[in-house]
Amino acid sequence: MTTDEVTGLDFMEHSFSNTLPRRDFLKLAGGGILLFFTVGDLDLLAQQRRGLPTDFNAFLKIGEDGRVVCYTGKIEMGQGIITSLRQMLAEELDVALESVDIVMGDTDLCPWDMGTFGSMSTRIFGPALRKAGAEARAVMLELASEYLKTPIDSLTVENGVVYDKSNKQNRIAYAILAKGKKIERRAAGSVSVKKPSEFKIIGKSLTRRDAKEKVTGKAKFTSDIRISGMLYAKIVRPPAHDSKLVSVDVSEAKNMKNVQVIQEGDFIAVLHQYPDVAEEALSKIKVQFEKPELDLNEINIFDHLLKVAPEGKVVTKGGDIQKGESESAAMAEHTYLDGYKAHAAIEPHAALVHIEGNKANVWASTQNPFTAKEEVAKALGFSSEHVRMMPVFVGGGFGGKTTNLQIIDAARLAKLTGKPVQVAYTRKEEFFFDSFRPAAVVKIKSGIDSKGKMNLWDYHVYFAGSRGAEQFYDIPHHRTTAYNASWTGAAGTHPFATGAWRAPSNNTNTFARESQIDIMAAKAGIDPIEFRIQNLADKRMQNVLRSAAKQFGWKPAKAPSGRGFGVACGIDAGTLVATIVEVKVNKNTGEVKVIRLVCAQDMGLVVNPEGAKIQMEGCLTMGLGYALKEDVRFTGKEILDVNFDTYEIPRFSWLPKIETIIIDNQESDPQGGGEPAIVTVGAVVANAIFDAVGVRVYQQPMTPERVKEALKKG
Amino acid sequence: MAEETIKFKLNGKAVTLSTDGDRKLLWVLRTDFELTGTKYGCGEGLCGACTVLVEGDAVRSCQTSMKDVEGKNIVTIEGLSMNDQLHPLQKAFAAHDALQCGYCTSGMIMNAYSLLSKNLDPSVSDIVRGMDDNICRCGAHKRIIEAVQSAAKEMKGGMKP
Ligand code: FES
Ligand code: FES
């Protein structure tokens, strides 16, 4: 894993004071056995948490009632970790799954966490949790050994009960061992976890832990929280970012019954006990803004980006580019473009802030509650231990809920009104304040030798970010250069905020790389799967590719074969993925219909196979959006797509037949699952279009217009 | 704002409410009745997160004025399970993992309910057509279709809708 994957988000800006000191955790946690442990690379953690104690950032408790509770600052937003984390803990502790609870995202109960993103919950938190579970089991064995006066070696555990192997009557439950105790241990990391052959719970498919709440409408998302006396706020928003307020007249809104108007400079809000009435009051405010002049739109943005690009930094290189060029039998040079994409979670950002005295309770749709807590404290002038983020369900994040502007608005208004205040974005605000996936440009020059072996790879990525930019083929002369290695740019780069979007950088990088690889395969006159396998040194990736090909029933043929088949590989968050697709292209309308998607993944140890498949399906379905339709249109700093009528996301009628395969690789550490499969979708579609009609689209999304244009050019 | 007295049936109970008849049902459900299972996703009839049943038909509550529900029978996701018994659709959504974040789920289930009340033997393309205007960002579509199919089977087998 590169640092880029871990430190991707901009949480360094905030100086964390601290979460609760350990003794307060203990008070809250009650009696029982507590095990504190550390998640992640200690050195990295120390860097990220400047000034914070790094001796633990998660803990688990075996309570006097025998229940096992793990406290973590991670959140559940649909990815299913609430289920898989329980499985890991129950497995290592040898307790029934039903006796395990995961308490998430409550900043008073849970120790600090940097946020839920980057597919880190399973691959980084998971192993730490398993070790902690194993260690807690060892503690229980120690206690049981004393109690039963039996050496540890003679003991075993089943369903939270410790037995003497030779005399099953000689036994004691975890609950009884924990009774009246207050034992605090610091994990030493010395106890080894179970071997895959010993697994009883890991590797089993389980349905979602939170399904019942969600199918009955009982699950509470932020905007569902109601507290007495609360007000719903609507805020005057400019038509474009960085607009200047010219004039405002709030008199009509002020005259509305029970409507409260707050005006603090440019910050103008109306509040009412009903959100719809507040919305109506907002519409009564007469306001004029001056939009900033900026001649940028979704068409000319790419020229602009190339113009403002900072100097490139070489990410990796090997061999000699010039030699590669002179030794290549055939070369190709292409430029790939990708427009801005919205996160467009169906739950818009929302927050509720309730201030009592010098304390604030906050409910918010956020992927990083601990960052939000600091932000709220700062906005209110409170010390951070007086701000508590409450746990709520989050209705989809995809990276978009790492910005917390709505929480600050709510905090500000709660302070100004003295009432609990909810700020929930309208869809239009959601589009306006989104931290979009950045528009980006990739330029590639590549070459093959006379035998069809890849010989040259000169890759330049502008503004997508470097995650997934490194190619993984066996190419003697290669260089990867990133011009702005992150998904945010310096001022003057993007007309509005950009940020991490499900598998950040990698969707754009994989689209470009795998398109170009296909171009070389066609030049070599070799079947695109065969070509990839010939040029891959990595046996694991070869295996993933072969598994997908087998499931698909791939018959080798050089492209374009007219069949509309496409293939692409990718690596994201430690997971290897290969996808094969079948498309139909309507030559008259340019419409591309995806018929079938087969996706194979090697993601190391899989805790909940069905859960992992759901994530793959989600990735593949969501990916169709950026591949085919999604492109944020704008003029200067004004966003023109403000709802789902013009910003189209995948729907049922787009749905291809989806088949997912998970490679059995239990011996390796678990890798990311919530993001990898999405990275291949653009490239497979591009390659399948080429295979179908013999022309290539070099820009995402591959809209009917772009396909038609490519057909016209021939 | 002109207050009107509006009477209707909500999840099987007769209710009376004094409010502006132009207010939208979505907000009345979520605030006045604290039935927050019905969600806001777009406010313009484009996403289906706010779907409820009015006289058995799926409607978008963000587009439905209170004055238009006078005397009508309204069912929300909270009214679907009877005496703590999950409706076959709810069971099927849970059993098929037909949800991820769960934010679109209430709307999906209510829309599917209306679909199945008219056709207990829907083909996949009937389901796709009937559900197409309900959107899901997490990409749970595949399993939602499977869940609706399996609920239809169970309901046909005698379970009352
Ligand atoms: S909120 Fe009513 S359709 Fe989207
Ligand atoms: S499950 Fe998240 S929007 Fe559908």
Side-chain angles (χ1 to χ4, degrees), chain B residues 26 39-50 60-62:
Chain B
L26 170 64
K39 307 294 186 206
Y40 167 92
C42 72
E44 293 182 12
L46 300 166
C47 75
C50 67
R60 309 253 146 140
S61 62
C62 73

Side-chain angles (χ1 to χ4, degrees), chain A residues 295-616:
Chain A
D295 180 28
L296 282 182
N297 54 46
E298 71 279 3
I299 297 160
N300 67 16
I301 186 71
F302 305 105
D303 293 335
H304 162 80
L305 288 178
L306 290 174
K307 219 181 308 161
V308 301
E311 216 169 293
K313 285 204 182 77
V314 175
V315 182
T316 45
K317 65 173 182 187
D320 177 346
I321 292 293
Q322 253 162 21
K323 203 158 163 235
E325 282 185 19
S326 58
E327 286 175 1
S328 285
M331 287 199 285
E333 195 169 1
H334 291 285
T335 300
Y336 299 87
L337 308 177
D338 198 0
Y340 295 98
K341 315 280 180 257
H343 292 90
I346 308 297
E347 178 204 28
H349 284 64
L352 169 64
V353 177
H354 184 198
I355 300 173
E356 283 177 304
N358 63 354
K359 287 213 167 88
N361 284 340
V362 181
W363 293 258
S365 53
T366 177
Q367 288 178 241
N368 46 1
F370 284 89
T371 310
K373 172 186 159 99
E374 299 300 323
E375 290 169 337
V376 170
K378 197 165 151 224
L380 293 176
F382 284 13
S383 72
S384 86
E385 56 278 19
H386 288 160
V387 177
R388 178 179 188 179
M389 302 296 296
M390 311 295 279
V392 274
F393 282 108
V394 176
F398 317 115
K401 284 175 180 154
T402 50
T403 52
N404 300 318
L405 300 173
Q406 89 285 10
I407 315 181
I408 312 299
D409 285 344
R412 214 170 149 185
L413 288 166
K415 193 170 179 189
L416 287 166
T417 59
K419 300 252 174 60
V421 172
Q422 184 204 86
V423 171
Y425 283 173
T426 58
R427 182 52 57 185
K428 186 174 177 183
E429 288 175 292
E430 188 67 19
F431 272 100
F432 187 76
F433 289 113
D434 199 359
S435 50
F436 298 105
R437 171 169 136 193
V441 180
V442 178
K443 294 183 172 196
I444 315 175
K445 189 178 200 179
S446 59
I448 44 171
D449 66 17
S450 53
K451 292 192 202 77
K453 175 86 187 55
M454 288 290 295
N455 187 43
L456 165 73
W457 187 257
D458 192 10
Y459 187 94
H460 303 265
V461 52
Y462 301 81
F463 296 107
S466 58
R467 179 158 149 182
E470 287 174 44
Q471 62 81 24
F472 42 77
Y473 293 92
D474 181 25
I475 307 175
H477 308 292
H478 66 94
R479 179 174 64 191
T480 298
T481 313
Y483 303 77
N484 200 81
S486 148
W487 35 83
T488 53
T493 308
H494 301 292
F496 28 67
T498 57
W501 192 101
R502 200 172 196 173
S505 317
N506 212 341
N507 295 297
T508 309
N509 281 317
T510 298
F511 166 65
R513 180 192 62 247
E514 293 298 305
S515 293
Q516 186 82 7
I517 292 288
D518 241 51
I519 290 171
M520 300 322 290
K523 274 204 185 304
I526 301 174
D527 168 76
I529 291 188
E530 202 38 57
F531 183 79
R532 282 177 172 78
I533 287 175
Q534 282 173 16
N535 282 287
L536 277 167
D538 182 351
K539 290 268 177 298
R540 268 178 74 208
M541 186 59 105
Q542 289 183 357
N543 180 34
V544 176
L545 200 46
R546 286 204 177 97
S547 307
K550 185 163 166 237
Q551 171 73 22
F552 188 86
W554 183 275
K555 302 245 168 7
K558 64 182 239 243
S561 72
R563 300 177 298 183
F565 293 173
V567 58
C569 311
I571 301 180
D572 189 76
T575 290
L576 276 51
V577 51
T579 305
I580 303 180
V581 74
E582 179 184 352
V583 305
K584 281 222 154 43
V585 181
N586 182 324
K587 282 196 182 180
N588 297 318
T589 61
E591 205 82 49
V592 177
K593 170 97 182 132
V594 178
I595 312 282
R596 184 176 174 216
L597 268 168
V598 172
C599 181
Q601 235 174 238
D602 181 344
M603 52 197 297
L605 170 68
V606 181
V607 178
N608 180 3
E610 212 52 29
K613 288 189 158 207
I614 291 169
Q615 285 300 308
M616 289 171 76

Side-chain angles (χ1 to χ4, degrees), chain A residues 224 276 617 630 651 653, chain B residues 23 39 41 132 137 143:
Chain A
D224 301 337
D276 47 326
E617 291 160 15
E630 292 180 40
R651 14 179 104 237
S653 53
Chain B
R23 288 186 66 203
K39 307 294 186 206
D132 209 30
R137 189 51 156 172
R143 288 173 195 249

